Amino acid sequence: MIEFVVKGEEFGDLAALGISYGLSITFRRVLAVGDFEREWIYAVMETGVWGAMLLSPCPDGLPCFRDPERAVEFSESRQTPVGYSGEEPAAVPYRISTFNKNYLKPRRWIRCRDISSDKSYLPLFACIYNLLKLRDDVPIVVSDVCLGFNEAERPDFQALPTYIQPRALADVVDVSVQPIPASAIARGILLGGYKAGPVVAISKGADHAAAELGGYLVDLNAPGDPCELFARGTVGYSPSLFSGRYLVDPDLCDRCGDCFITNCDALKQGERGVPELLSSCVGCGACALMCTRGAIWREGDLFKVFLR
């Protein structure tokens, strides 16, 4: 039984695959019709699916089925996309999605190629981190960009339907399967019925459909303040909003360590646990965004208060 049919002629082939992928990881059974490049299919195969994903016409290298029920059974049991060469079945609702991202293994859905090393995205993820930590639901963040993370320090997520706070800004992203666009994947997750929390897309593309379906969008091609995401629904990103020369006031610092969640190499723990900004600091402002005491402040600001 197929629940969704997504066609490349309607959305574009890459977006259709992304929507189908988002549907499939929310336990949905989906048929994607289009001309899908091998690289795109490999990205899906590498991370796997949870529902069923049938691709038509049958791509080279995938098992091919004419019977939709056999195709669905194989795809679900092997957690992999399969080819389909039969007649297009009618889409029939099958079940209510019970998908919750915290049932997943940490970083299962992460396949990053565009990993930022220039700190330009640190303030963006600091904003998202601060917004998410205030929530008591289970948000899911799909992104076209990623931060590098330490493989030795994996987040301690548990297989429970509760939100576990990430330990670093890099762990804010839950799904990133480049080159498949985040906006399309988020759209599929929303269509799949994800209700455990907000769906956030951090996108380099111009597709705002996820926001129109009730999700939240950070458009990296537009200017704006990502710290206002939940207030506005759709925002851009302007790193210059947060840039400057930053100082540390040791009298205000309570040694909480929140600034080190950025994993920024320009920040080190100094005497008595007070952070020190090194000469390599580029003044991105991420550590100040993370500081809840206002101990890291921008030179020239009238008051020593944290930015958000």
Side-chain angles (χ1 to χ4, degrees), residues 185-214:
I185 299 174
R187 186 174 182 177
I189 292 172
L190 288 162
L191 289 171
Y194 187 77
K195 302 295 185 183
V199 177
V200 176
I202 301 174
S203 174
K204 287 184 172 181
D207 181 6
H208 289 195
E212 295 168 2
L213 291 172

Side-chain angles (χ1 to χ4, degrees), residues 233-286:
T234 298
V235 295
Y237 176 48
S238 300
S240 59
L241 286 175
F242 313 104
S243 62
R245 183 172 182 268
Y246 285 86
L247 305 170
V248 178
D249 188 334
D251 294 329
L252 289 178
C253 178
D254 64 358
R255 288 78 169 166
C256 69
D258 282 353
C259 55
F260 292 106
I261 292 175
T262 62
N263 277 350
C264 180
D265 57 12
L267 194 67
K268 78 168 188 177
Q269 193 170 37
E271 186 178 355
R272 296 183 295 124
V274 176
E276 292 183 6
L277 294 171
L278 305 180
S279 59
S280 57
C281 174
V282 297
C284 72

Side-chain angles (χ1 to χ4, degrees), residues 64-78:
C64 186
F65 298 86
R66 290 189 59 83
D67 180 355
E69 295 304 319
R70 288 189 59 202
V72 165
E73 180 182 2
F74 188 94
S75 180
E76 288 186 331
S77 63
R78 306 293 179 89

Side-chain angles (χ1 to χ4, degrees), residues 5-18 20 30-38 40-41 53-60 62 82-84 88:
V5 177
V6 183
K7 297 184 178 182
E9 63 184 21
E10 180 179 356
F11 302 102
D13 291 329
L14 182 56
L17 187 66
S20 302
V30 56
L31 169 64
V33 182
D35 183 14
F36 306 121
E37 295 185 10
R38 180 64 184 172
W40 309 345
I41 297 172
M53 179 187 281
L54 282 57
L55 304 181
S56 179
C58 289
D60 293 338
L62 290 184
V82 299
Y84 177 69
E88 181 180 314

Side-chain angles (χ1 to χ4, degrees), residues 4 22-23 26 28 95-99 187-196 199:
F4 295 87
L23 285 164
T26 56
R28 297 303 188 180
R95 55 190 169 189
I96 297 174
S97 176
T98 57
F99 172 75
R187 186 174 182 177
I189 292 172
L190 288 162
L191 289 171
Y194 187 77
K195 302 295 185 183
V199 177

Side-chain angles (χ1 to χ4, degrees), residues 96-114:
I96 297 174
S97 176
T98 57
F99 172 75
N100 182 307
K101 77 168 188 183
N102 284 328
Y103 289 121
L104 308 180
K105 294 180 180 179
R107 303 194 183 111
R108 169 169 180 168
W109 309 106
I110 299 292
R111 183 182 184 269
C112 289
R113 291 184 177 179
D114 186 6

